[in-house]
Amino acid sequence: MTALATPPAAVYSPALRGLQATVADSFALVMEARTGVPAKIAFDVAALLKLSADELADLLHTTTKTLRAYREGKKRLGPAASEQILKLLALARQGEEVFGALPAFRRWLDKPAYGLDNQPPLALLETSGGIDLVADEVDRIAHGDFA
């Protein structure tokens, strides 16, 4: 009898694991965003969601060159970009829980979603409000509300 292969669990960097309590609490998330998160965290979240550096830069309304310079200079992102990154981390955790694995969630992000006016959820992640809309849709899916 052969054992069924299980998909590998998502690999959370120590820095991302350290932010789990922060992203679970809206007030703590905002306070953390105000101080700015290190640019390296943005790249860690991008790796978790299988986003390219260009996709990450597009979501944060900046350039790949700027993001890499921030990472190399160990600089912190501004409050708005930090909030987006922290919300993306929270969304990744939510998506992993609802879809069973991050690869399945990532595939869903690329497909038009009925509850999001047939927009691919990934296209909505460029604003904090868009991330909230996608999180609400994932929550509806979790509760079996597809209408």
Side-chain angles (χ1 to χ4, degrees), residues 38-115:
K40 182 188 179 324
I41 296 289
F43 283 93
D44 289 351
V45 171
L48 196 63
L49 290 170
K50 303 292 187 227
L51 299 172
S52 70
D54 290 338
E55 288 173 314
L56 175 64
D58 287 345
L59 290 178
L60 297 178
H61 307 284
T62 190
T63 65
T64 306
K65 183 178 178 181
T66 298
L67 278 179
R68 287 187 175 135
Y70 268 58
R71 181 180 60 187
E72 290 165 13
K74 298 185 179 176
K75 294 182 180 179
R76 292 182 174 271
L77 300 175
S82 294
E83 180 183 27
Q84 266 184 278
I85 292 300
L86 293 169
K87 283 186 163 192
L88 286 172
L89 177 57
L91 182 64
R93 290 295 301 234
Q94 179 188 17
E96 181 178 31
E97 185 177 307
V98 171
F99 288 84
L102 275 171
F105 176 59
R106 180 60 173 96
R107 285 189 299 276
W108 177 80
L109 286 174
D110 287 327
K111 295 179 181 175
Y114 177 78

Side-chain angles (χ1 to χ4, degrees), residues 124-142:
L124 301 175
L125 301 181
E126 63 184 19
T127 65
S128 179
I131 295 168
D132 292 342
L133 287 173
V134 172
D136 290 346
E137 182 67 6
V138 173
D139 192 47
R140 283 191 292 275
I141 290 169

Side-chain angles (χ1 to χ4, degrees), residues 12-20 40-41 44 89:
Y12 290 85
S13 69
L16 293 183
R17 283 195 304 272
L19 287 170
Q20 292 309 316
K40 182 188 179 324
I41 296 289
D44 289 351
L89 177 57

Side-chain angles (χ1 to χ4, degrees), residues 15-33:
L16 293 183
R17 283 195 304 272
L19 287 170
Q20 292 309 316
T22 300
V23 300
D25 175 356
S26 296
F27 185 78
L29 185 146
V30 170
M31 293 297 104
E32 184 72 24

